[in-house]
Amino acid sequence: MMMIELPPPHVSRLFILPIPTFDYLKRYQRAVAARTGQKLDNSQVITQLLAEHEQFIGLTGKPSAAPKAALLMPPKVSAKEGQE
């Protein structure tokens, strides 16, 4: 699995996420840590998700027939979490 490093310079922006989106971000973050042992911060998780998305859709905005690398599977949502 390819980990994305944040290259300088960084751009700092304050933005708001809906609670379900933030919860997904945290589940993804924990799933990566469980699989790889690497704890990513929120910026690294967002960078990873966007890189995977870009790789999946390609520059045309359409899904790629053959992704260049395996995408991380999104974390599973338990029945309990789905009811919140």
Side-chain angles (χ1 to χ4, degrees), residues 17-74:
L17 297 174
I19 291 173
T21 303
F22 182 77
D23 290 345
Y24 177 82
L25 178 94
K26 299 313 278 186
R27 284 193 309 272
Y28 186 95
Q29 188 176 43
R30 291 180 193 111
V32 169
R35 277 195 299 270
T36 67
Q38 182 177 9
K39 294 186 178 185
L40 305 178
D41 63 30
N42 290 343
S43 294
Q44 291 171 314
V45 172
I46 292 169
T47 300
Q48 180 72 28
L49 285 168
L50 290 174
E52 290 179 8
H53 179 74
E54 181 180 29
Q55 186 176 23
F56 177 72
I57 66 165
L59 297 177
T60 64
K62 297 177 183 176
S64 171
K68 295 175 187 167
L71 301 177
L72 290 176
M73 296 302 295

